[in-house]
């Protein structure tokens, strides 16, 4: 790829991230309330994964050669649903049914209801272990599929994350590429005031992972660069699992809540929705 | 009716468990075994030697073991995951519930050392609630292997049947009840005995089946005939067999190596109460914790001996007479 196509690709992925943010805001405001903050903080990552990185076939969600995606912080499913709908896994109008009676799009990611959701998650820590099991199963079969896993910094307070971290390193799961959405916030406030994760990079390195620290985890080129680093390590037959630490802003795109404890789960009225959509559009225009 | 020998099995249950895994794995390449650092205790090292690439000793991490097993099942593997019944049910419950059952995975959960058979591991390791916990999980199949013949049948069924299933089994010595090769059916109790003019039905499970057969011999000498059902299939429960027992014998004794309030006693009571109310007596643990001891001592402590069952039958038959003459 030359520089101009690189730039085009970045611009395209940034637009995709903006669309994910906008659809997430609309989706949650259609219901009235939801986990908007943690959904917005992973929009750029989802754009990179579903816009470029992952080997997928939206028309065949169960395609045997696909890469797997596990959103262990399952309450941020609204952003994943927006991404999947934009990629054509299911009709866009499903997004208006989030959490409504009888919906296919429940609050937490559900593999039985949503085309494209590989693993059900919602009880924190659990998706990570399932992702590791999938990675191990694929490795046992000698397959090349990769498993992309997203955990939260708050979620990393769960002991199961560290069971998983030991296990993935022990079993040399080089096909596992994980991300921490390190937005510094959890339901009750700032993680550092409650039960701090601290230096995630040092911790995962100590657990035997290859770690890439991304200071601006909402920056598309930085995420692409981190994935490139992981790939080049993998090419050197380094079969350690990978952790990309994304320092993100919870609620990015909607200034009223961004980076504040209020962003975790909040109501959105029409006026707030329009304000957020306009702000996101400004971000997209500037990209 | 079923032949019963009441002799100690020649093998320990864990040896049979491992042999059965080896036999199944030979024909089913998707079968994998997971454990949480209890392979030596469970006697499954020969499986690891035969199939190292299909063995995952996770270390001491039950929660991650269940998640990993679920992930393996999503890639098409057929995972058997073992730990002690106490850890399987109490320690990994949320993982079994959400990662497993709620998301319709395919994991065979094996809980060993149930109830008093945990012996000197004592109260921390003594599960009197595992079956009740599992029974509360929607779609979960909940089974207790009575002897090696049944163990083999259940494991074959698990390997070929998609879904979340829990089986508890004694790890060491066990009494042989069934002729080799006996066929069983999920949701169908085994009628172990049905004496002429049975005045009560003993609905038993696990180690209590052998005790019930011993009790029937004593009762027979007193002129009290009984029916014995081995309700190894706690969920789905054989409701029809329970209703038939209530209607035809008019009195029931449940006998389990488990807490009565969430266990077989509760399950049978639900079936009886909704169809044909009759007097029931409950052999099992009544809201108590485990403790260290040998199995005979513990059986006496918790009132699970043949003698206790004899007394329960006498009592329930008396209650039936009072009830009828009211």
């Amino acid at each position: 790829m030359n520089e101009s196509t690189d730039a085009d690709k970045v611009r395209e992925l940034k637009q995709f991230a903006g669309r994910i943010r906008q659809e997430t805001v609309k989706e949650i405001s259609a219901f009235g309330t939801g986990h908007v903050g943690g959904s917005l903080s992973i929009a750029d990552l989802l754009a990179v994964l579903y816009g470029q990185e992952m080997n997928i076939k939206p028309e065949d969600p169960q395609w045997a050669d696909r890469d797997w995606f596990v959103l262990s912080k399952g309450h941020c499913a609204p952003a994943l649903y927006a991404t999947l709908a934009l990629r054509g896994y299911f009709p866009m109008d499903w997004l208006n049914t989030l959490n409504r009676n009888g919906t296919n799009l429940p609050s937490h990611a559900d593999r039985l209801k949503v085309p494209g959701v590989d693993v059900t998650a919602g009880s924190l820590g659990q998706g990570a272990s399932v992702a590791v099991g999938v990675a191990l199963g694929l490795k046992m079969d000698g397959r090349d599929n990769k498993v992309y896993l997203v955990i939260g910094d708050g979620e990393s307070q769960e002991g199961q994350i560290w069971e998983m971290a030991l296990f993935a390193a022990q079993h040399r799961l080089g096909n596992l590429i994980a991300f921490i959405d390190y937005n510094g916030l959890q339901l009750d406030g700032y993680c550092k005031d409650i039960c701090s994760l601290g230096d995630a990079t040092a911790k995962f390195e100590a657990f035997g992972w290859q770690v890439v620290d991304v200071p601006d985890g909402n920056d598309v080129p930085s995420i692409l660069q981190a994935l490139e680093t992981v790939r080049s390590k993998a090419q050197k037959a380094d079969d350690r699992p990978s952790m990309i630490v994304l320092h993100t802003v919870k609620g990015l795109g909607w200034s009223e809540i961004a980076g504040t404890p209020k962003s975790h789960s909040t109501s959105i009225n029409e006026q707030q929705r329009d304000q957020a959509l306009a702000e996101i559009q400004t971000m997209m225009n500037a990209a | 009716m079923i032949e019963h020998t009441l002799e100690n099995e020649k093998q320990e249950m864990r040896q049979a468990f491992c042999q059965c895994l080896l036999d199944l794995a030979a024909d089913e390449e998707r079968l994998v075994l997971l454990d949480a650092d209890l392979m030596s205790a469970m006697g499954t090292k020969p499986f690891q030697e035969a199939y190292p690439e299909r063995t995952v000793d996770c270390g001491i991490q039950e929660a991650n073991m269940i998640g990993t097993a679920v992930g393996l099942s999503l890639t098409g593997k057929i995972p058997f995951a073992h730990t002690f019944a106490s850890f399987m049910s109490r320690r990994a419950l949320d993982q079994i519930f959400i990662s497993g059952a709620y998301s319709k995975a395919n994991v065979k959960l094996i809980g060993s050392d149930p109830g008093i058979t945990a012996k000197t591991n004592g109260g921390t390791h003594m599960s009197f609630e595992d079956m009740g916990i599992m029974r509360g999980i929607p779609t979960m199949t909940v089974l207790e292997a009575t002897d090696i013949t049944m163990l083999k049948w259940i494991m074959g069924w698990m390997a070929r049947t998609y879904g979340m299933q829990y089986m508890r089994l004694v790890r060491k010595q066990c009494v042989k009840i069934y002729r080799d090769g006996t066929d069983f059916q999920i949701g169908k109790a085994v009628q172990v005995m049905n004496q002429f003019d049975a005045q009560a039905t003993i609905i038993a499970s696990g180690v209590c089946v052998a005790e019930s057969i011993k009790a029937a011999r004593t009762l027979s000498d007193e002129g009290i005939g009984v029916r014995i059902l081995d309700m190894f299939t706690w969920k789905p429960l054989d409701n029809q067999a329970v209703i038939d027992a209530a209607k035809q014998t008019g009195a029931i004794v449940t006998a389990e190596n488990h807490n009565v309030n969430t266990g077989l006693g509760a399950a049978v009571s639900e079936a009886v109460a909704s169809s044909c109310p009759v007097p029931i007596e409950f052999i099992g643990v009544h809201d108590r914790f485990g403790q260290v001891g040998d199995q005979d001592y513990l059986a006496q402590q918790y009132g699970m001996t043949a003698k206790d069952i004899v007394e329960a039958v006498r009592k329930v038959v008396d209650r039936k007479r009072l009830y009828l003459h009211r």
Side-chain angles (χ1 to χ4, degrees):
Chain A
M1 236 192 296
N2 61 37
E3 274 181 29
S4 68
T5 52
D6 262 356
D8 287 347
K9 190 68 202 178
V10 166
R11 199 171 302 117
E12 188 188 311
L13 292 173
K14 284 182 174 177
Q15 296 303 312
F16 187 28
R19 291 292 311 279
I20 293 170
R21 283 203 165 80
Q22 288 184 325
E23 292 304 329
T24 300
V25 167
K26 285 197 269 180
E27 179 188 6
I28 293 173
S29 69
F31 183 69
T33 182
H35 292 108
V36 62
S39 294
L40 292 178
S41 62
I42 59 169
D44 311 284
L45 171 62
L46 289 168
V48 168
L49 292 179
Y50 281 89
Q52 165 153 317
E53 191 66 16
M54 293 202 310
N55 195 26
I56 48 171
K57 276 188 188 170
E59 69 281 13
D60 183 9
Q62 299 292 312
W63 180 40
D65 290 334
R66 76 187 184 281
D67 291 333
W68 291 58
F69 179 76
V70 182
L71 184 63
S72 193
K73 39 175 269 171
H75 58 285
C76 300
L80 177 58
Y81 299 159
T83 307
L84 293 170
L86 286 165
R87 282 305 315 262
Y89 281 85
F90 50 83
M92 289 296 290
D93 60 13
W94 283 26
L95 296 177
N96 295 323
T97 71
L98 179 77
N99 279 337
R100 295 200 180 279
N101 297 339
T103 186
N104 275 328
L105 304 184
S107 190
H108 300 84
D110 190 321
R111 81 178 190 94
L112 301 173
K113 289 189 157 67
V114 192
V117 170
D118 286 320
V119 168
T120 296
S123 185
L124 294 173
Q126 293 196 24
S129 290
V130 178
V132 155
V134 170
L136 182 62
L138 295 167
K139 188 181 176 185
M140 279 178 176
D141 289 342
R143 303 183 64 94
D144 293 330
N145 318 44
K146 291 192 168 48
V147 180
Y148 294 89
L149 163 68
V150 180
I151 62 175
D153 53 346
E155 179 180 14
S156 301
Q157 292 162 359
E158 290 282 3
Q160 191 172 352
I161 291 294
W162 304 98
E163 293 185 6
M164 177 283 292
L166 286 172
F167 183 97
Q170 174 73 27
H171 291 268
R172 313 295 297 184
L173 298 178
N175 55 349
L176 178 69
I177 299 162
F179 303 84
I180 296 184
D181 178 33
Y182 205 141
N183 60 34
L185 285 159
Q186 58 190 105
L187 193 150
D188 272 343
Y190 294 93
C191 300
K192 65 178 167 53
D193 297 334
I194 294 166
C195 189
S196 180
L197 173 58
D199 188 344
T201 301
K203 285 188 171 72
F204 275 90
E205 272 174 355
F207 273 70
W209 291 52
Q210 57 168 332
V211 186
V212 183
D213 191 85
V214 181
D216 183 354
N218 293 115
D219 180 51
V220 165
S222 299
I223 299 168
L224 287 167
Q225 184 57 48
L227 284 163
E228 188 57 40
T229 306
V230 165
R231 233 190 327 271
S232 62
K233 283 184 183 175
Q235 278 157 1
K236 286 182 231 153
D238 182 345
D239 55 1
R240 285 177 297 165
S242 301
M243 177 60 76
I244 297 174
V245 180
L246 300 174
H247 299 273
T248 57
V249 176
K250 195 165 180 173
L252 185 72
W254 179 17
S255 58
E256 185 184 333
I257 60 157
T260 73
K262 196 183 156 192
S263 69
H264 182 79
S265 178
T266 185
S267 60
I268 309 180
N269 63 31
E270 279 185 27
Q271 192 189 345
Q272 288 170 312
R273 178 198 64 194
D274 292 343
Q275 177 62 33
L277 292 177
E279 287 181 23
I280 296 164
Q281 193 57 52
T282 306
M283 280 170 70
M284 290 165 74
N285 294 344
Chain B
M1 220 172 0
I2 299 291
E3 285 180 28
H4 41 266
T5 63
L6 286 192
E7 289 162 13
N8 277 343
E9 293 271 17
K10 292 183 184 72
Q11 279 185 309
E12 289 188 341
M13 288 285 260
R14 57 183 167 183
Q15 284 174 278
F17 176 74
C18 186
Q19 188 54 53
C20 195
L21 283 174
L22 285 163
D23 294 344
L24 290 167
D27 294 331
E28 176 52 84
E29 61 179 22
R30 295 174 297 167
L31 189 149
V32 294
L33 174 66
L34 295 95
D35 205 307
D37 196 41
L38 288 173
M39 293 190 66
S40 299
M42 192 55 182
T44 48
K45 286 283 184 178
F47 185 90
Q48 187 174 34
E49 281 152 27
Y51 296 105
E53 73 291 354
R54 288 206 253 164
T55 304
V56 188
D57 193 342
C58 300
I60 308 161
Q61 41 169 248
E62 293 77 14
N64 186 54
M65 172 175 75
I66 296 304
T68 301
V70 167
L72 286 166
S73 88
L74 297 183
T75 66
K77 304 290 180 203
I78 301 174
F80 279 71
H82 165 260
T83 182
F84 289 150
S86 49
F87 304 149
M88 186 62 85
S89 55
R90 301 199 296 253
R91 187 131 201 169
L93 171 59
D94 196 42
Q95 287 73 22
I96 291 168
F97 192 103
I98 293 174
S99 297
Y102 182 74
S103 82
K104 284 197 170 35
N106 182 31
V107 181
K108 288 75 193 56
L109 305 164
I110 311 297
S112 67
D113 270 11
I116 60 170
T117 70
K119 299 177 197 168
T120 49
N121 268 335
T124 57
H125 288 49
M126 202 161 282
S127 62
F128 291 137
E129 59 293 309
D130 55 311
M131 299 288 269
I133 288 169
M134 296 294 178
R135 209 164 70 88
I137 301 174
T139 71
M140 182 71 74
T141 301
V142 184
L143 310 169
E144 177 163 32
T146 309
D147 70 356
I148 288 173
T149 306
M150 185 187 277
L151 172 67
K152 287 179 182 165
W153 185 89
I154 290 175
M155 288 178 69
W157 176 83
M158 282 179 150
R160 67 178 182 268
T161 309
Y162 190 97
M164 294 296 292
Q165 299 135 4
Y166 175 68
M167 174 181 69
R168 72 184 332 215
L169 81 162
V170 172
R171 193 159 53 96
K172 296 180 180 170
Q173 202 63 53
C174 181
V175 177
K176 183 173 173 67
I177 308 286
Y178 301 111
R179 206 172 56 237
D180 295 345
T182 302
D183 233 359
F184 301 92
Q185 201 181 326
I186 300 302
K188 197 94 186 117
V190 188
Q191 185 169 293
V192 177
M193 184 183 285
N194 190 23
Q195 292 172 319
F196 176 72
D197 198 22
Q199 296 174 50
T201 300
I202 306 169
I203 301 180
S205 182
V207 295
C208 291
V209 175
E211 294 303 304
S212 299
I213 294 169
K214 289 182 209 160
R217 290 174 179 173
T218 307
L219 289 162
S220 192
D221 293 341
E222 297 175 17
I224 301 176
V226 295
R227 175 182 301 180
I228 298 175
L229 298 177
D230 178 350
M231 192 62 81
F232 74 99
T233 167
W234 289 35
K235 188 182 170 193
L237 193 80
D238 188 348
N239 282 300
Q240 192 56 51
V242 174
I243 294 165
D244 289 348
K247 286 185 177 160
Q248 292 162 11
T249 70
I252 289 172
V253 172
T254 60
E256 63 194 299
N257 173 23
H258 190 275
N259 231 332
V260 165
N261 59 5
T262 63
L264 189 60
V268 167
S269 296
E270 287 159 15
V272 169
S274 61
S275 58
C276 178
V278 296
I280 307 179
E281 286 292 320
F282 303 96
I283 294 291
V285 179
H286 294 264
D287 205 29
R288 288 173 65 189
F289 290 112
Q291 58 185 306
V292 293
D294 65 41
Q295 199 169 316
D296 289 342
Y297 171 81
L298 293 170
Q300 284 167 21
Q301 279 289 305
Y302 297 101
M304 278 182 221
T305 66
K307 187 166 158 284
D308 296 306
I309 297 171
V310 166
E311 280 166 17
V313 170
R314 285 186 195 132
K315 196 170 162 190
V316 85
V317 169
D318 283 346
R319 279 178 60 202
K320 177 171 74 169
R321 286 182 187 131
L322 284 171
Y323 183 75
L324 290 173
H325 293 130
R326 206 157 40 187

